[in-house]
């Protein structure tokens, strides 16, 4: 009897110590449409994981915009007042990505007062789809409130998204990961197109033109889930943007890479070059269709 | 009693996994910080067993999309308990673009910068020298626009 009690006590202590080491446990009770569970993937989860890596970053477009000297504007952001109306895992995941991109933009411009509003929205949505444990809301809120250690704020924000993405993949929930990635991407494209509309810039126009490559990858991923009506509808929306890209040409000039070592640092210069051919009219059409699609997606 | 022992074993294993996750998380944060005044974008966590004698070293492969006119930094960090030293290589299709270890000179670099001129899918390969076992983290960071 004493031995048994000892074992139980030991188990309780071990469970407690596990918990104190960081709550990384996850509830397996999540919502996945039956149509997806029943259809099976056309390609393996492993392949999916390989395809999805880094397809859209919540900070890269914002970083470029800031480096171009474009001032901050909150009119590009998606309102967080919609969060309560997002009641399905489909909408929650898609908007998690949209708010993630907005958070990257806010972080980039050190708009810490608005950051709290967006991390709250993200935390709510992440909890709904059972990945909230990867989003360190308390630390993020503290960093944003104190307006200090902004590098850490950026690191934890981006790292949290990466953790969520990895977890969803490893738990056969790539369908939700694909939606988050789509949300990040569409909001990033919306941000870029809205900025270029007001402040024309060749580099930004090229970056928008190059999204033809990313969009193709994204549609390829989403097509694995097209048996679900919501995914099919989302693909149709993205196809409208793809259609605007059909005459955008991307040429490749070949060249040998160079390695330069200077002051103990190694730099690789790529001499392959991609050249984007995008006309003003094509850019205008992409801007307008992206705006329409993004606005429809956030009002779903 | 056997049942209790099984539960304890399960909990111990869970704790071990949790501790490893914490260690890796710390290593990732450290590796991102070591990359300098750059912006963290992505990490590539690897745990590889030792290779067979004479065989190719076990390698983890990650596909990623990089954008033109951006300078990226690729960093590599090896976990302290590893037998081998981690090496990160960047490939464009079958062309090796860069590596944190230059075999011709035997020189190691904690990171290298990549001036990307072509938007597209690239591959990061992470392995351990001489095919030894180990844990490691590769980190992709954004340096600046070109």
């Amino acid at each position: 009897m004493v031995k048994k009690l000892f074992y139980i006590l030991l188990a309780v202590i071990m469970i407690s110590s596990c918990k104190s080491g960081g709550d990384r446990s996850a509830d397996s009770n999540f919502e996945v449409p039956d149509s997806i569970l029943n259809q099976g993937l056309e390609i393996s989860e492993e392949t999916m994981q390989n395809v999805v890596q880094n397809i859209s970053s919540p900070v890269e477009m914002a970083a470029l915009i800031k480096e171009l000297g474009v001032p901050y504007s909150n009119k590009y952001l998606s309102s967080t007042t919609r969060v309560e109306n997002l009641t399905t895992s489909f909408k929650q995941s898609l908007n998690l990505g949209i708010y993630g991109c907005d958070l990257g933009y806010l972080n980039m411009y050190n708009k810490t007062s608005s950051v709290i509003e967006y991390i709250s929205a993200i935390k709510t949505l992440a909890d709904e789809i059972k990945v909230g444990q990867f989003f360190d809301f308390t630390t993020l809120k503290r960093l944003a409130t104190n307006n200090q250690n902004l590098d850490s704020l950026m690191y934890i924000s981006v790292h949290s998204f990466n953790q969520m993405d990895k977890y969803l993949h490893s738990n056969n929930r790539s369908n939700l990961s694909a939606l988050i990635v789509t949300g990040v991407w569409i909001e990033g494209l919306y941000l870029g197109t809205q900025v270029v509309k007001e402040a024309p810039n060749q580099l930004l126009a090229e970056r928008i033109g190059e999204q033809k490559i990313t969009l193709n990858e994204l549609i390829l991923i989403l097509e694995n889930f097209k048996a679900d009506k919501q995914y099919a509808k989302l693909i149709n929306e993205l196809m409208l943007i793809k259609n605007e890209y059909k005459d955008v040409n991307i040429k490749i000039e070949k060249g040998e890479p160079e390695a330069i070592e200077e002051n103990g640092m190694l730099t690789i210069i790529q001499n392959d070059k991609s050249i984007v051919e995008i006309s003003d009219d094509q850019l205008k059409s992409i801007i307008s269709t992206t705006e329409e699609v993004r606005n429809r997606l956030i009002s779903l | 009693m056997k049942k209790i022992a099984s539960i304890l074993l399960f909990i111990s294993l869970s704790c071990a996994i949790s501790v490893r996750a914490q260690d890796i998380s710390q290593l990732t944060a450290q590796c991102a910080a070591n990359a300098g005044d750059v912006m963290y974008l992505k990490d590539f966590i690897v745990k590889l067993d030792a290779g067979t004698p004479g065989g190719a070293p076990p390698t983890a492969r990650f596909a990623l999309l990089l954008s033109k006119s951006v300078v990226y930094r690729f960093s590599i960090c090896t976990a302290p308990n590893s037998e081998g030293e981690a090496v990160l290589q960047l490939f464009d299709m079958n062309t090796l673009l860069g590596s944190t270890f230059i075999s011709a000179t035997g020189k190691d670099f904690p990171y290298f910068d990549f001036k990307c001129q072509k938007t597209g899918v690239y591959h990061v390969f992470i392995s351990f020298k001489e095919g030894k076992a180990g844990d490691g983290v590769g980190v992709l960071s954004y340096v600046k626009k070109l």
Side-chain angles (χ1 to χ4, degrees):
Chain A
M1 184 65 185
V2 175
K3 256 188 179 178
K4 202 171 181 177
L5 271 173
F6 170 74
Y7 275 121
I8 292 169
L9 191 65
L10 189 63
V12 170
I13 292 167
M14 289 172 89
I15 291 168
S16 316
S17 63
C18 264
K19 274 196 164 178
S20 67
D23 187 8
R24 287 287 186 268
S25 64
D27 193 338
S28 59
N29 177 27
F30 55 87
E31 180 193 344
V32 178
D34 288 344
S35 53
I36 284 171
L37 286 175
N38 297 336
Q39 77 176 96
L41 294 177
E42 286 171 20
I43 53 176
S44 71
E45 275 293 329
E46 191 187 348
T47 310
M48 280 296 300
Q49 196 159 3
N50 230 2
V51 174
V52 176
Q53 286 278 338
N54 200 47
I55 204 159
S56 62
S57 155
V59 291
E60 275 194 71
M61 185 66 89
L64 175 62
I65 289 168
K66 193 184 177 198
E67 280 186 83
L68 291 173
V70 178
Y72 167 82
S73 172
N74 63 5
K75 69 181 176 189
Y76 305 132
L77 303 176
S78 173
S79 164
T80 55
T81 55
R82 303 176 298 109
V83 170
E84 284 174 13
N85 304 329
L86 304 170
T87 51
T88 65
S89 59
F90 183 94
K91 291 178 186 176
Q92 287 155 353
S93 305
L94 189 63
N95 283 278
L96 185 55
I98 288 171
Y99 290 137
C101 183
D102 288 343
L103 178 64
Y105 179 66
L106 288 165
N107 278 336
M108 196 61 63
Y109 283 85
N110 297 341
K111 299 293 175 190
T112 47
S113 53
S114 303
V115 159
I116 295 168
E117 185 187 323
Y118 280 80
I119 56 177
S120 300
I122 289 168
K123 173 68 174 163
T124 303
L125 297 178
D127 281 341
E128 289 290 336
I129 61 165
K130 315 294 180 199
V131 289
Q133 68 273 24
F134 298 109
F135 205 78
D136 190 351
F137 178 75
T138 313
T139 307
L140 284 169
K141 193 176 174 185
R142 180 171 50 78
L143 291 171
T145 307
N146 299 339
N147 200 12
Q148 62 181 23
N149 211 342
L150 298 171
D151 287 345
S152 295
L153 184 63
M154 180 68 93
Y155 172 78
I156 297 171
S157 303
V158 179
H159 189 248
S160 300
F161 265 84
N162 289 342
Q163 293 281 90
M164 284 192 262
D165 190 54
K166 281 178 194 171
Y167 178 78
L168 288 171
H169 279 295
S170 60
N171 285 275
N172 295 326
R173 297 167 73 195
S174 293
N175 57 324
L176 299 189
S177 165
L179 292 172
I180 296 174
V181 170
T182 304
V184 170
W185 181 80
I186 191 74
E187 189 70 350
L189 183 64
Y190 174 75
L191 188 57
T193 50
Q194 289 301 304
V195 168
V196 87
K197 187 166 79 171
E198 291 179 13
N201 177 281
Q202 186 57 33
L203 189 56
L204 194 50
E206 268 198 46
R207 178 66 60 85
I208 291 164
E210 287 165 356
Q211 297 307 306
K212 181 176 184 173
I213 299 167
T214 315
L215 179 56
N216 287 338
E217 294 283 334
L218 202 53
I219 290 173
L220 197 69
I221 293 163
L222 289 169
E223 279 183 342
N224 290 287
F225 313 108
K226 67 183 175 191
D228 185 278
K229 279 182 189 168
Q230 297 176 97
Y231 284 81
K233 196 176 166 189
L234 178 61
I235 292 167
N236 286 342
E237 290 286 358
L238 295 181
M239 290 302 282
L240 296 174
I241 303 177
K242 185 176 175 174
N243 193 44
E244 303 295 357
Y245 272 102
K246 67 179 188 300
D247 294 323
V248 173
N249 284 321
I250 300 174
K251 292 193 301 189
I252 307 290
E253 273 181 11
K254 300 298 279 179
E256 288 298 313
E258 293 172 63
I260 297 169
E261 194 188 328
E262 209 170 48
N263 302 324
M265 267 192 62
L266 182 64
T267 302
I268 311 297
I269 301 166
Q270 185 179 36
N271 285 318
D272 271 4
K273 281 183 185 162
S274 55
I275 296 156
V276 180
E277 293 174 342
I278 179 168
S279 69
D280 289 347
D281 284 346
Q282 287 163 349
L283 185 60
K284 273 182 195 163
S285 302
I286 290 168
I287 292 168
S288 124
T289 306
T290 300
E291 187 173 350
E292 288 165 19
V293 168
R294 182 266 196 181
N295 289 341
R296 271 198 298 274
L297 291 181
I298 63 169
S299 60
L300 274 178
Chain B
M1 196 56 74
K2 269 186 182 174
K3 206 172 179 180
I4 294 173
S6 304
I7 293 168
L8 287 177
L9 181 66
F10 173 75
I11 293 166
S12 304
L13 286 171
S14 302
C15 285
I17 291 166
S18 173
V19 167
R20 182 185 174 263
Q22 269 192 327
D23 289 347
I24 287 295
S25 193
Q26 281 170 6
L27 184 67
T28 307
Q30 188 61 51
C31 203
N34 290 349
D37 189 17
V38 292
M39 192 170 63
Y40 159 88
L41 293 178
K42 202 90 189 167
D43 57 72
F44 313 101
I45 295 169
V46 296
K47 180 181 177 61
L48 295 173
D49 293 329
T52 51
T59 303
R61 197 182 89 155
F62 304 88
L64 69 159
L65 206 135
L66 300 178
S67 297
K68 183 189 172 182
S69 301
V70 175
V71 182
Y72 293 99
R73 181 164 293 173
F74 289 88
S75 316
I76 189 73
C77 294
T78 308
N81 58 341
S82 299
E83 288 172 25
E85 197 176 342
V87 174
L88 183 149
Q89 294 174 308
L90 176 67
F91 282 85
D92 177 13
M93 300 294 279
N94 295 321
T95 307
L96 174 65
L97 296 171
S99 174
T100 55
F101 173 62
I102 311 297
S103 54
T105 59
K107 219 168 175 180
D108 283 300
F109 296 89
Y111 54 77
F112 65 84
D113 284 355
F114 175 59
K115 293 185 175 179
C116 185
Q117 299 273 30
K118 184 181 79 175
T119 297
V121 178
Y122 295 79
H123 286 91
V124 162
F125 282 35
I126 298 177
S127 59
F128 289 84
K129 283 183 191 171
E130 297 152 15
K132 289 181 179 170
D135 292 72
V137 177
V139 170
L140 169 69
S141 308
Y142 180 99
V143 181
K144 60 179 180 179
K145 75 173 175 64
L146 263 174

